[in-house]
Amino acid sequence: MESPLMSQEPTSEFDRRTLLKGAAAGVVTAGIAGADGVAPAEAQAQGQSALQDPKIQTESLTFMNGDTKINGFLARPKVRGKVGTVLIAPDIFGLSPYAKETAATIAQAGLACLVVDQYSRATEPVPGDIAQLRSFVGKWAPDAQNVSDHKAALAWLKKQNFTNGKYGVTGFCMGGRITLLVAAANPEILAASPYYGPVKAAGPTNIAPMDVAGQIKGAVQGHYGADDMNPKPEDVEAFYAKLKETNPKGEFFIYPGAGHAFHSAGRPSYREEAAKTAWARTLAFFQKNLQ
């Protein structure tokens, strides 16, 4: 028999109320409808860019972490007043078109979004080969430094006049792990939504979310693939059991038929149904906690 945690159906009345409330506000179950009515995950897969939406504005920017200049990408809705803000911790490919597109879909949902470039210090090009990228991460984006850059991003955001003082974070793959580490290091993070980030340490520059679970104060909504091998479903279950020892605001979803990077449109790993369902949940989660 399929476990409730292996289902894409909401696992609690809280989830059902959240999605129903979102639908009443114009949120479709596949995500936030853009100007053409297409949900963002599907739009990414079809090559329809949220970055071209005239209702949002985007810019490349820099902010300081001590004496170091950090690169970022900001997307936000063209609205008056202050809005909640989400940080994106990118996957191993860094500040990529995929990361920017994802930020734009968050802006379409009425929130500001800042992508932090973990490779801002790199003095060599980001390699395209995944094997080379693994050593590149260790050299240019160790966990502690990555988390520090996100803390600096929060400090920069607090000085901006478009933020309402409510902050969240999401990320994918290695960024999913960084998402949990950023939430643990910054109690002002009200909502964290990691995507298939490893929860155990794997290397000298890595920090295990399992070891800092007790420091996370905000709500957590995680998304994982049943066919993923890192993290495996049993690792995910162990992490959220650990989290719930000190934080009742943790929930997670495991999607059948999906593996690692199932949200990454344009890659062979992309799984449309899982990506659309997960992203709808994430956007509703951020809207509830940050608006």
Side-chain angles (χ1 to χ4, degrees):
M1 180 179 295
E2 185 180 67
S3 163
L5 295 178
M6 296 290 286
S7 171
Q8 292 185 9
E9 291 301 310
T11 58
S12 68
E13 285 300 319
F14 167 81
D15 298 323
R16 292 187 178 92
R17 289 197 302 271
T18 300
L19 293 179
L20 289 173
K21 181 179 178 182
V27 181
V28 296
T29 56
I32 301 296
D36 56 4
V38 179
E42 184 178 3
Q44 290 180 50
Q46 295 175 355
Q48 301 174 30
S49 177
L51 292 165
Q52 304 305 316
D53 189 336
K55 296 180 181 178
I56 70 170
Q57 60 190 73
T58 63
E59 63 176 304
S60 297
L61 54 80
T62 60
F63 57 90
M64 301 302 294
N65 184 0
D67 296 330
T68 303
K69 186 179 294 185
I70 306 300
N71 301 321
F73 177 82
L74 179 69
R76 59 190 180 101
K78 293 179 180 178
V79 296
R80 293 184 178 181
K82 300 178 183 295
V83 297
T85 305
V86 178
L87 293 170
I88 287 183
D91 61 19
I92 198 169
F93 297 102
L95 185 51
S96 63
Y98 163 67
K100 294 179 180 180
E101 184 73 26
T102 304
T105 68
I106 290 175
Q108 286 181 320
L111 299 160
C113 184
L114 176 60
V115 188
V116 178
D117 181 6
Q118 72 263 38
Y119 300 136
S120 295
R121 297 170 179 78
T123 58
E124 53 191 299
V126 179
D129 179 74
I130 193 70
Q132 293 178 328
L133 272 169
R134 291 191 178 99
S135 60
F136 194 83
V137 169
K139 181 177 181 180
W140 294 113
D143 282 358
Q145 177 181 283
N146 203 340
V147 172
S148 175
D149 288 345
H150 282 80
K151 183 181 283 290
L154 279 172
W156 181 85
L157 285 168
K158 291 173 184 178
K159 299 175 183 177
Q160 308 309 308
N161 59 13
F162 58 82
T163 64
N164 66 3
K166 296 181 179 181
Y167 305 102
V169 60
T170 188
F172 307 87
C173 188
M174 64 168 280
R177 186 181 73 251
I178 296 300
T179 291
L180 293 169
L181 301 184
V182 169
N186 299 278
E188 64 264 57
I189 293 290
L190 300 180
S193 186
Y195 275 68
Y196 35 81
V199 294
K200 296 180 178 179
T205 64
N206 287 352
I207 303 170
M210 189 78 76
D211 294 339
V212 297
Q215 299 174 33
I216 299 175
K217 306 303 180 185
V220 180
Q221 183 190 82
H223 303 276
Y224 304 89
D227 299 336
D228 200 344
M229 296 304 293
N230 187 26
K232 297 178 181 178
E234 55 264 36
D235 295 336
V236 172
E237 293 176 11
F239 171 78
Y240 283 87
K242 179 78 170 178
L243 177 69
K244 287 211 168 189
E245 292 177 3
T246 55
N247 185 345
K249 297 171 290 185
E251 62 180 350
F252 67 100
F253 299 91
I254 293 178
Y255 298 88
H260 203 75
F262 68 78
H263 182 268
S264 297
R267 294 177 63 185
S269 57
Y270 178 70
R271 295 295 180 269
E272 180 178 1
E273 183 178 0
K276 289 163 62 175
T277 302
W279 200 235
R281 286 171 170 159
T282 293
L283 293 176
F285 172 70
F286 283 139
Q287 289 173 324
K288 177 183 184 297
N289 285 282
L290 305 182
Q291 287 185 332

